[in-house]
Amino acid sequence: GRQREGIVSQQGKGQLRLERTFQSALAAHQSARLNEASELYEQILRLDRRHFPTLLLLGAVKAQQADYAAAERLTRDALRVQPRDLRALLQHGNVLLAQQRYDDAFAAFGDAMAVNPSMPEVHVNRGAILMLRKQAAEALACFDAALRIAPRFAPALCNRGNALQELNRLDDALAAYDAAVREQAGNAEYLASRANCLHRLKRDDMALEDIDAALKAQPSNADFHYNRGNILAALKKPAEAFAAFDAAWRIAPDLPYAEGDRLYAKLAICDWSDLARELDHVAANVGQGRTAARPFAFLAMSGTSSLQAQCAKLFIAREFPNRPALRHGEAYDHARLRIAYLSADFRDHPVALLMAGVFERHDRANFEISAYSFGPAGASPMRRRLESAFDRFLDVRGKSDGEIA
């Protein structure tokens, strides 16, 4: 009897020590003392390798420290203890997402959705992965599913705006961003996203207000500085645009296109300082497979055709990855061969001035000529001339690639 009492007493003391250590670890974690929290969580696991809260929270600490391999191992251990715990399933998906293992993350969030399909965060996370895959239409369906569950869920509203932007439904996207900002007025990400949409809608004064507000909240955000540079360039303020691109590049030297856009803005203000070295640097980065510049801007930085081709290939791979074909070799026939021209410059523009006569001189007996305009319209004589130069002239602003096809 006494021996059994001693065993129970020892177990009670061990449990008490574990609980006190856990509370100390939790306090350190909540105070962002991550190394201390990690050490205390490890002490608990030496006492009990299956202590679920500790496995989960130590995995979260490792993720915060960017040790994603350890975070994944610990989260998997937590799931072995409680396979249907939503917190663990979501953490597992987020850790996989941080490692850019998009297929695995999508499946992990699917597991969470199977446990609780009424959790809007799961739908948003799956939609975010589809956006990374450039599957905006499918992503939009996920965000809409989240909003059917929680109509005022701000992350779903903002992500819905992102998907609509990708689908060129800019007015609808702006409405989604407005709704997100109403829910969380000071959220920097939402303000920055709305700024991008306003920029695409050519409302750059309003876009500048939003991006400045976002930067006030997050002054070290390289993406925000970069987007501010694009807005200032559109406002014909090249010196300020250069300063914004320069800030973005110094914070994040590998930020896609930042180095090239910075140098292009520097050339625009006739600043030739350190030019040879900077031209060599951006060319070397392109040669090493980095998306350091956009193809059009890079033409002003390198006359080497192989590097220009490399720059274009990198741009296409990033912005226009392979997608499923809309046709699969089905036979079709037309009386005339069909040719389509796609342009943002069917207006008073040098391209239109040079090409109008070409459009008008096509052999209409053998060719059917169409124009797809995704730029500004206007009512100029050149616009009217172009509209009459084609068999079909379609204004496709606001339409997705699939709708246009």
Coordinates of all heavy atoms in Angstrom, one line a residue, residues 150-236:
A150 N -18.3 33.3 -43.7 CA -18.1 34.5 -42.9 C -18.0 35.7 -43.9 O -16.9 36.1 -44.3 CB -16.8 34.3 -42.1
P151 N -19.2 36.3 -44.2 CA -19.2 37.4 -45.2 C -18.3 38.6 -44.9 O -18.0 39.3 -45.9 CB -20.7 37.8 -45.2 CG -21.4 36.6 -44.7 CD -20.5 36.0 -43.6
R152 N -17.9 38.8 -43.7 CA -17.1 40.0 -43.4 C -15.7 39.6 -43.0 O -14.9 40.3 -42.4 CB -17.7 40.8 -42.2 CG -19.1 41.3 -42.6 CD -19.8 42.0 -41.4 NE -19.0 43.2 -41.0 CZ -19.3 43.9 -39.9 NH1 -20.4 43.7 -39.2 NH2 -18.5 44.9 -39.5
F153 N -15.2 38.4 -43.4 CA -13.9 37.9 -43.1 C -12.9 38.6 -44.0 O -12.8 38.4 -45.2 CB -13.9 36.4 -43.3 CG -12.6 35.7 -42.8 CD1 -12.1 36.0 -41.5 CD2 -11.9 34.8 -43.6 CE1 -10.9 35.4 -41.1 CE2 -10.7 34.2 -43.2 CZ -10.2 34.5 -41.9
A154 N -12.1 39.5 -43.3 CA -11.3 40.4 -44.1 C -10.2 39.7 -44.9 O -10.0 40.1 -46.1 CB -10.6 41.5 -43.2
P155 N -9.5 38.7 -44.5 CA -8.6 38.0 -45.3 C -9.2 37.5 -46.6 O -8.6 37.5 -47.7 CB -8.0 36.9 -44.4 CG -8.2 37.4 -43.0 CD -9.5 38.2 -43.1
A156 N -10.4 36.9 -46.5 CA -11.1 36.4 -47.7 C -11.4 37.5 -48.6 O -11.3 37.4 -49.9 CB -12.3 35.6 -47.3
L157 N -11.9 38.7 -48.1 CA -12.2 39.8 -48.9 C -11.0 40.3 -49.7 O -11.0 40.6 -50.9 CB -12.8 41.0 -48.1 CG -14.2 40.7 -47.5 CD1 -14.5 41.7 -46.4 CD2 -15.2 40.8 -48.6
C158 N -9.8 40.5 -49.0 CA -8.6 41.0 -49.7 C -8.1 40.0 -50.7 O -7.8 40.4 -51.8 CB -7.6 41.2 -48.6 SG -6.1 42.0 -49.4
N159 N -8.1 38.7 -50.3 CA -7.7 37.7 -51.3 C -8.6 37.6 -52.5 O -8.2 37.3 -53.6 CB -7.5 36.3 -50.6 CG -6.2 36.2 -49.9 OD1 -5.1 36.0 -50.5 ND2 -6.2 36.3 -48.6
R160 N -9.9 37.8 -52.3 CA -10.8 37.8 -53.4 C -10.5 39.0 -54.3 O -10.5 38.8 -55.6 CB -12.3 38.0 -52.9 CG -13.3 38.0 -54.0 CD -14.7 38.0 -53.4 NE -15.7 37.6 -54.4 CZ -16.3 38.4 -55.2 NH1 -16.0 39.7 -55.2 NH2 -17.1 37.9 -56.1
G161 N -10.1 40.1 -53.8 CA -9.6 41.2 -54.6 C -8.4 40.8 -55.4 O -8.3 41.1 -56.6
N162 N -7.5 40.1 -54.8 CA -6.2 39.7 -55.5 C -6.6 38.8 -56.7 O -6.0 38.9 -57.8 CB -5.3 38.9 -54.6 CG -4.8 39.8 -53.5 OD1 -4.8 41.0 -53.6 ND2 -4.3 39.2 -52.4
A163 N -7.5 37.8 -56.5 CA -7.9 36.9 -57.6 C -8.6 37.7 -58.7 O -8.4 37.4 -59.9 CB -8.9 35.8 -57.0
L164 N -9.5 38.6 -58.3 CA -10.2 39.4 -59.3 C -9.2 40.3 -60.1 O -9.4 40.5 -61.3 CB -11.3 40.3 -58.7 CG -12.5 39.5 -58.1 CD1 -13.3 40.3 -57.1 CD2 -13.4 39.0 -59.2
Q165 N -8.2 40.8 -59.5 CA -7.2 41.5 -60.2 C -6.5 40.6 -61.3 O -6.3 41.1 -62.4 CB -6.1 42.0 -59.3 CG -6.4 43.4 -58.7 CD -5.1 44.2 -58.4 OE1 -4.4 44.7 -59.3 NE2 -4.7 44.2 -57.2
E166 N -6.2 39.4 -60.9 CA -5.5 38.5 -61.8 C -6.5 38.2 -63.0 O -6.0 37.9 -64.1 CB -5.2 37.2 -61.1 CG -3.9 37.3 -60.3 CD -2.7 37.5 -61.1 OE1 -2.5 36.9 -62.1 OE2 -1.9 38.5 -60.7
L167 N -7.8 38.2 -62.7 CA -8.8 38.0 -63.8 C -9.1 39.2 -64.5 O -10.0 39.2 -65.4 CB -10.0 37.3 -63.2 CG -9.8 35.9 -62.6 CD1 -11.0 35.5 -61.8 CD2 -9.5 34.9 -63.7
N168 N -8.4 40.3 -64.3 CA -8.7 41.6 -64.9 C -10.1 42.2 -64.6 O -10.5 43.1 -65.4 CB -8.4 41.5 -66.4 CG -7.0 41.4 -66.8 OD1 -6.1 42.0 -66.1 ND2 -6.7 40.5 -67.7
R169 N -10.7 41.8 -63.6 CA -12.0 42.4 -63.1 C -11.7 43.4 -62.1 O -11.9 43.3 -60.9 CB -12.9 41.3 -62.6 CG -13.3 40.3 -63.7 CD -14.0 39.0 -63.1 NE -15.1 39.4 -62.2 CZ -15.8 38.4 -61.5 NH1 -15.5 37.2 -61.6 NH2 -16.8 38.8 -60.7
L170 N -11.1 44.5 -62.6 CA -10.5 45.5 -61.6 C -11.6 46.2 -60.8 O -11.3 46.5 -59.6 CB -9.7 46.5 -62.4 CG -8.5 45.9 -63.2 CD1 -7.7 47.0 -63.9 CD2 -7.6 45.1 -62.3
D171 N -12.7 46.6 -61.4 CA -13.7 47.3 -60.6 C -14.2 46.4 -59.5 O -14.5 46.8 -58.3 CB -14.9 47.7 -61.5 CG -14.5 48.9 -62.4 OD1 -13.6 49.7 -62.0 OD2 -15.0 48.9 -63.5
D172 N -14.5 45.1 -59.8 CA -14.9 44.1 -58.7 C -13.8 44.0 -57.7 O -14.1 43.8 -56.5 CB -15.2 42.8 -59.4 CG -16.5 42.8 -60.2 OD1 -17.3 43.7 -60.0 OD2 -16.6 42.0 -61.1
A173 N -12.6 43.9 -58.1 CA -11.4 43.8 -57.2 C -11.4 45.0 -56.2 O -11.2 44.8 -55.0 CB -10.1 43.7 -58.0
L174 N -11.6 46.2 -56.8 CA -11.6 47.4 -55.9 C -12.7 47.3 -54.9 O -12.4 47.7 -53.7 CB -11.7 48.6 -56.8 CG -11.6 50.0 -56.0 CD1 -10.3 50.1 -55.3 CD2 -11.8 51.1 -57.0
A175 N -13.8 46.9 -55.3 CA -14.9 46.7 -54.3 C -14.6 45.8 -53.2 O -14.9 46.0 -52.0 CB -16.2 46.3 -55.0
A176 N -13.9 44.7 -53.5 CA -13.5 43.7 -52.5 C -12.4 44.3 -51.6 O -12.5 44.1 -50.3 CB -12.9 42.5 -53.2
Y177 N -11.5 45.1 -52.1 CA -10.5 45.7 -51.3 C -11.1 46.8 -50.4 O -10.8 46.9 -49.2 CB -9.4 46.4 -52.1 CG -8.5 45.4 -52.8 CD1 -8.2 45.6 -54.2 CD2 -8.0 44.3 -52.2 CE1 -7.4 44.7 -54.9 CE2 -7.1 43.4 -52.9 CZ -6.9 43.6 -54.2 OH -6.1 42.8 -54.9
D178 N -12.1 47.5 -50.9 CA -12.8 48.5 -50.1 C -13.5 47.8 -48.9 O -13.4 48.3 -47.8 CB -13.9 49.2 -50.9 CG -13.3 50.2 -51.9 OD1 -12.1 50.6 -51.7 OD2 -14.0 50.7 -52.8
A179 N -14.1 46.7 -49.1 CA -14.8 45.9 -48.1 C -13.7 45.5 -47.0 O -14.0 45.5 -45.8 CB -15.5 44.8 -48.6
A180 N -12.6 45.0 -47.5 CA -11.6 44.5 -46.5 C -11.1 45.7 -45.7 O -10.9 45.5 -44.5 CB -10.4 43.9 -47.3
V181 N -10.8 46.8 -46.3 CA -10.3 48.0 -45.6 C -11.4 48.5 -44.6 O -11.1 48.9 -43.5 CB -9.9 49.1 -46.5 CG1 -9.6 50.4 -45.8 CG2 -8.7 48.6 -47.3
R182 N -12.7 48.4 -44.9 CA -13.7 48.8 -44.0 C -13.7 47.9 -42.7 O -13.9 48.4 -41.6 CB -15.1 48.7 -44.6 CG -15.4 49.9 -45.5 CD -16.9 49.9 -45.8 NE -17.4 48.7 -46.6 CZ -17.4 48.6 -47.9 NH1 -16.9 49.6 -48.6 NH2 -17.8 47.5 -48.5
E183 N -13.4 46.6 -42.9 CA -13.3 45.7 -41.8 C -12.1 45.9 -40.9 O -12.1 45.8 -39.7 CB -13.3 44.2 -42.3 CG -14.6 43.8 -43.0 CD -15.8 44.0 -42.1 OE1 -15.7 43.7 -40.9 OE2 -16.9 44.4 -42.6
Q184 N -10.9 46.2 -41.6 CA -9.7 46.5 -40.8 C -9.0 47.7 -41.5 O -8.1 47.6 -42.3 CB -8.8 45.2 -40.9 CG -9.3 44.0 -40.2 CD -8.4 42.9 -40.1 OE1 -7.2 43.0 -40.3 NE2 -8.9 41.7 -39.9
A185 N -9.4 48.9 -41.0 CA -9.0 50.1 -41.7 C -7.5 50.3 -41.7 O -7.0 50.9 -42.7 CB -9.7 51.3 -41.0
G186 N -6.8 49.9 -40.7 CA -5.3 50.2 -40.7 C -4.4 49.1 -41.2 O -3.2 49.1 -41.1
N187 N -5.0 48.0 -41.8 CA -4.2 46.9 -42.3 C -3.4 47.3 -43.5 O -3.9 47.6 -44.5 CB -5.2 45.7 -42.6 CG -4.4 44.5 -42.9 OD1 -3.7 44.3 -43.9 ND2 -4.5 43.5 -42.0
A188 N -2.1 47.2 -43.3 CA -1.1 47.6 -44.3 C -1.2 46.8 -45.6 O -1.2 47.3 -46.7 CB 0.3 47.6 -43.8
E189 N -1.4 45.5 -45.4 CA -1.5 44.6 -46.6 C -2.7 45.0 -47.5 O -2.7 45.0 -48.7 CB -1.5 43.2 -46.2 CG -0.3 42.7 -45.5 CD 0.9 42.5 -46.5 OE1 0.7 42.5 -47.7 OE2 2.1 42.5 -46.0
Y190 N -3.8 45.2 -46.8 CA -5.1 45.5 -47.5 C -4.9 46.9 -48.2 O -5.4 47.0 -49.4 CB -6.3 45.6 -46.6 CG -6.5 44.3 -45.8 CD1 -7.4 44.2 -44.7 CD2 -5.8 43.1 -46.2 CE1 -7.6 43.1 -44.0 CE2 -6.0 41.9 -45.5 CZ -6.9 41.9 -44.4 OH -7.1 40.8 -43.7
L191 N -4.3 47.9 -47.6 CA -4.1 49.2 -48.2 C -3.2 49.1 -49.4 O -3.4 49.7 -50.4 CB -3.5 50.2 -47.2 CG -4.5 50.6 -46.1 CD1 -3.7 51.3 -45.0 CD2 -5.5 51.6 -46.7
A192 N -2.1 48.3 -49.3 CA -1.2 48.1 -50.4 C -1.8 47.4 -51.5 O -1.6 47.7 -52.7 CB 0.1 47.3 -49.9
S193 N -2.6 46.4 -51.2 CA -3.3 45.7 -52.3 C -4.3 46.6 -53.1 O -4.4 46.6 -54.3 CB -4.1 44.5 -51.7 OG -3.2 43.5 -51.2
R194 N -5.0 47.4 -52.3 CA -5.9 48.4 -53.0 C -5.1 49.4 -53.8 O -5.6 49.8 -54.9 CB -6.8 49.1 -51.9 CG -7.9 50.0 -52.6 CD -8.9 50.4 -51.5 NE -8.3 51.4 -50.6 CZ -9.0 52.0 -49.7 NH1 -10.3 51.8 -49.5 NH2 -8.5 52.9 -48.9
A195 N -3.9 49.8 -53.3 CA -3.1 50.7 -54.0 C -2.7 50.1 -55.4 O -2.7 50.8 -56.4 CB -1.8 51.1 -53.2
N196 N -2.4 48.8 -55.4 CA -2.0 48.2 -56.7 C -3.2 48.2 -57.7 O -3.0 48.4 -58.9 CB -1.6 46.7 -56.4 CG -0.3 46.6 -55.7 OD1 0.5 47.6 -55.6 ND2 0.0 45.5 -55.1
C197 N -4.4 47.9 -57.1 CA -5.6 47.9 -58.0 C -5.8 49.4 -58.5 O -6.1 49.5 -59.7 CB -6.8 47.4 -57.2 SG -8.2 47.2 -58.2
L198 N -5.8 50.4 -57.7 CA -6.0 51.7 -58.1 C -4.9 52.1 -59.1 O -5.2 52.9 -60.1 CB -5.9 52.7 -56.9 CG -7.1 52.6 -55.9 CD1 -6.7 53.3 -54.6 CD2 -8.3 53.2 -56.6
H199 N -3.7 51.7 -59.0 CA -2.7 51.9 -60.0 C -3.0 51.3 -61.3 O -2.9 52.0 -62.4 CB -1.3 51.3 -59.5 CG -0.2 51.3 -60.4 ND1 0.2 52.5 -61.1 CD2 0.5 50.3 -60.9 CE1 1.2 52.2 -61.9 NE2 1.4 50.9 -61.8
R200 N -3.5 50.1 -61.3 CA -3.9 49.5 -62.6 C -5.1 50.2 -63.2 O -5.3 50.2 -64.4 CB -4.2 48.0 -62.4 CG -3.0 47.2 -62.1 CD -3.3 45.7 -62.0 NE -3.8 45.2 -63.3 CZ -4.3 44.0 -63.5 NH1 -4.4 43.2 -62.4 NH2 -4.7 43.7 -64.7
L201 N -6.0 50.8 -62.4 CA -7.1 51.6 -62.9 C -6.8 53.0 -63.3 O -7.6 53.8 -63.6 CB -8.2 51.6 -61.8 CG -9.0 50.3 -61.6 CD1 -9.8 50.3 -60.3 CD2 -9.9 50.1 -62.8
K202 N -5.4 53.3 -63.2 CA -4.9 54.7 -63.6 C -5.4 55.7 -62.6 O -5.4 56.9 -62.9 CB -5.3 55.1 -65.0 CG -5.1 54.0 -66.0 CD -3.6 53.7 -66.2 CE -3.4 52.7 -67.4 NZ -2.0 52.2 -67.5
R203 N -5.7 55.3 -61.3 CA -6.0 56.3 -60.3 C -4.8 56.5 -59.4 O -4.9 56.1 -58.2 CB -7.3 55.9 -59.6 CG -8.5 55.6 -60.4 CD -9.7 55.2 -59.6 NE -10.7 54.6 -60.4 CZ -11.8 54.0 -60.0 NH1 -12.1 54.0 -58.7 NH2 -12.7 53.5 -60.8
D204 N -3.8 57.0 -59.9 CA -2.5 56.9 -59.2 C -2.4 57.8 -58.0 O -1.6 57.6 -57.1 CB -1.3 57.1 -60.2 CG -1.1 55.9 -61.1 OD1 -0.9 54.8 -60.6 OD2 -1.3 56.1 -62.3
D205 N -3.1 59.0 -58.0 CA -3.1 59.9 -56.9 C -3.6 59.1 -55.7 O -3.1 59.2 -54.5 CB -3.8 61.1 -57.2 CG -3.1 62.1 -58.1 OD1 -1.8 62.1 -58.0 OD2 -3.7 62.7 -58.9
M206 N -4.8 58.5 -55.9 CA -5.4 57.7 -54.8 C -4.5 56.5 -54.4 O -4.4 56.2 -53.2 CB -6.8 57.2 -55.2 CG -7.8 58.3 -55.4 SD -9.3 57.7 -56.1 CE -9.9 56.7 -54.8
A207 N -3.9 55.9 -55.4 CA -3.0 54.7 -55.1 C -1.8 55.2 -54.2 O -1.4 54.5 -53.3 CB -2.5 54.1 -56.4
L208 N -1.3 56.4 -54.5 CA -0.2 56.9 -53.7 C -0.6 57.1 -52.2 O 0.2 56.8 -51.3 CB 0.4 58.2 -54.3 CG 1.7 58.7 -53.7 CD1 2.8 57.7 -53.8 CD2 2.0 60.0 -54.4
E209 N -1.8 57.6 -52.0 CA -2.2 57.8 -50.6 C -2.3 56.5 -49.9 O -1.8 56.4 -48.7 CB -3.6 58.4 -50.6 CG -3.7 59.9 -51.1 CD -5.1 60.4 -51.1 OE1 -6.0 59.8 -50.6 OE2 -5.3 61.5 -51.7
D210 N -2.8 55.4 -50.5 CA -2.9 54.1 -49.9 C -1.5 53.5 -49.6 O -1.3 53.0 -48.5 CB -3.7 53.2 -50.8 CG -5.2 53.2 -50.4 OD1 -5.6 53.9 -49.5 OD2 -6.0 52.5 -51.1
I211 N -0.6 53.6 -50.6 CA 0.7 52.9 -50.4 C 1.5 53.7 -49.4 O 2.3 53.1 -48.6 CB 1.5 52.8 -51.7 CG1 2.5 51.7 -51.6 CG2 2.1 54.1 -52.1 CD1 2.0 50.3 -51.4
D212 N 1.3 55.0 -49.3 CA 2.0 55.8 -48.2 C 1.5 55.4 -46.8 O 2.3 55.3 -45.9 CB 1.8 57.3 -48.5 CG 2.7 57.8 -49.6 OD1 3.7 57.1 -50.0 OD2 2.5 59.0 -50.0
A213 N 0.2 55.2 -46.7 CA -0.4 54.8 -45.5 C 0.1 53.4 -45.1 O 0.4 53.1 -43.9 CB -1.9 54.8 -45.5
A214 N 0.3 52.5 -46.1 CA 0.8 51.1 -45.8 C 2.2 51.2 -45.3 O 2.6 50.5 -44.4 CB 0.7 50.3 -47.1
L215 N 3.0 52.1 -46.0 CA 4.4 52.2 -45.6 C 4.6 52.9 -44.2 O 5.6 52.6 -43.5 CB 5.2 53.0 -46.6 CG 5.7 52.2 -47.8 CD1 6.1 53.2 -48.9 CD2 6.9 51.4 -47.4
K216 N 3.6 53.7 -43.8 CA 3.7 54.3 -42.5 C 3.6 53.2 -41.4 O 4.2 53.2 -40.4 CB 2.6 55.3 -42.3 CG 2.7 56.1 -41.0 CD 1.6 57.2 -41.0 CE 1.7 58.0 -39.7 NZ 0.7 59.1 -39.6
A217 N 2.8 52.2 -41.7 CA 2.6 51.1 -40.8 C 3.8 50.1 -40.9 O 4.1 49.5 -39.9 CB 1.3 50.4 -41.1
Q218 N 4.3 49.9 -42.1 CA 5.4 48.9 -42.3 C 6.5 49.6 -43.1 O 6.7 49.3 -44.3 CB 4.9 47.7 -43.0 CG 3.9 46.9 -42.2 CD 3.5 45.6 -42.9 OE1 4.2 45.1 -43.8 NE2 2.4 45.0 -42.5
P219 N 7.3 50.4 -42.5 CA 8.3 51.2 -43.3 C 9.4 50.4 -43.9 O 10.2 50.8 -44.8 CB 8.9 52.2 -42.3 CG 8.6 51.6 -40.9 CD 7.3 50.8 -41.1
S220 N 9.6 49.1 -43.4 CA 10.7 48.3 -43.9 C 10.2 47.2 -44.9 O 10.9 46.3 -45.2 CB 11.4 47.6 -42.8 OG 12.0 48.5 -41.9
N221 N 9.0 47.4 -45.4 CA 8.4 46.4 -46.4 C 8.9 46.7 -47.8 O 8.5 47.7 -48.4 CB 6.9 46.5 -46.3 CG 6.2 45.3 -47.1 OD1 6.5 45.2 -48.3 ND2 5.4 44.6 -46.4
A222 N 9.7 45.9 -48.3 CA 10.3 46.1 -49.6 C 9.3 46.1 -50.7 O 9.4 46.9 -51.7 CB 11.4 45.0 -49.9
D223 N 8.3 45.2 -50.7 CA 7.3 45.2 -51.7 C 6.5 46.5 -51.8 O 6.2 47.0 -52.8 CB 6.3 44.1 -51.4 CG 6.8 42.7 -51.7 OD1 7.4 42.5 -52.8 OD2 6.7 41.8 -50.8
F224 N 6.2 47.1 -50.6 CA 5.5 48.4 -50.6 C 6.4 49.5 -51.2 O 5.8 50.3 -52.0 CB 5.2 48.8 -49.1 CG 4.2 47.9 -48.4 CD1 3.9 48.1 -47.1 CD2 3.6 46.8 -49.1 CE1 2.9 47.3 -46.5 CE2 2.7 46.0 -48.5 CZ 2.4 46.2 -47.1
H225 N 7.6 49.6 -50.9 CA 8.5 50.6 -51.6 C 8.5 50.4 -53.1 O 8.5 51.3 -53.8 CB 9.9 50.5 -51.0 CG 10.1 51.1 -49.6 ND1 10.1 52.4 -49.4 CD2 10.2 50.5 -48.4 CE1 10.2 52.7 -48.1 NE2 10.3 51.5 -47.5
Y226 N 8.6 49.1 -53.5 CA 8.7 48.8 -54.9 C 7.4 49.2 -55.6 O 7.4 49.9 -56.7 CB 8.9 47.3 -55.1 CG 8.9 46.9 -56.6 CD1 10.0 47.1 -57.4 CD2 7.8 46.2 -57.1 CE1 10.0 46.8 -58.7 CE2 7.8 45.9 -58.5 CZ 8.9 46.2 -59.3 OH 8.9 45.8 -60.6
N227 N 6.2 48.9 -55.0 CA 5.0 49.3 -55.6 C 4.8 50.8 -55.6 O 4.2 51.4 -56.5 CB 3.8 48.7 -54.8 CG 3.8 47.2 -55.0 OD1 4.4 46.6 -55.9 ND2 3.1 46.5 -54.0
R228 N 5.4 51.5 -54.6 CA 5.3 53.0 -54.6 C 6.2 53.5 -55.8 O 5.8 54.5 -56.4 CB 5.9 53.5 -53.3 CG 5.8 55.0 -53.1 CD 6.2 55.4 -51.7 NE 5.8 56.8 -51.4 CZ 6.6 57.9 -51.7 NH1 7.8 57.6 -52.2 NH2 6.2 59.1 -51.4
G229 N 7.3 52.8 -56.1 CA 8.1 53.2 -57.2 C 7.3 53.1 -58.5 O 7.3 54.0 -59.4
N230 N 6.5 52.1 -58.7 CA 5.7 51.9 -59.9 C 4.6 53.0 -60.0 O 4.4 53.6 -61.1 CB 5.0 50.5 -59.9 CG 5.9 49.4 -60.2 OD1 6.9 49.6 -61.0 ND2 5.7 48.3 -59.5
I231 N 4.0 53.4 -58.9 CA 3.0 54.4 -58.9 C 3.6 55.8 -59.2 O 3.1 56.5 -60.0 CB 2.3 54.5 -57.5 CG1 1.5 53.2 -57.3 CG2 1.4 55.7 -57.4 CD1 1.1 53.0 -55.9
L232 N 4.8 56.1 -58.6 CA 5.4 57.3 -58.9 C 5.9 57.4 -60.3 O 5.9 58.5 -61.0 CB 6.6 57.5 -57.9 CG 6.2 57.8 -56.5 CD1 7.4 57.6 -55.5 CD2 5.7 59.2 -56.3
A233 N 6.4 56.3 -60.9 CA 6.8 56.3 -62.3 C 5.6 56.6 -63.2 O 5.7 57.4 -64.2 CB 7.3 54.9 -62.7
A234 N 4.4 56.1 -62.9 CA 3.2 56.4 -63.6 C 2.8 57.8 -63.5 O 2.2 58.4 -64.4 CB 2.0 55.5 -63.2
L235 N 3.1 58.5 -62.3 CA 2.8 59.9 -62.1 C 3.9 60.8 -62.7 O 3.8 62.0 -62.5 CB 2.7 60.1 -60.6 CG 1.4 59.6 -59.9 CD1 1.5 59.6 -58.4 CD2 0.2 60.3 -60.4
K236 N 4.8 60.2 -63.5 CA 5.9 61.0 -64.1 C 6.7 61.7 -63.1 O 7.1 62.9 -63.3 CB 5.3 62.0 -65.1 CG 4.3 61.4 -66.1 CD 4.9 60.4 -67.0 CE 4.0 59.9 -68.1 NZ 4.5 58.7 -68.9

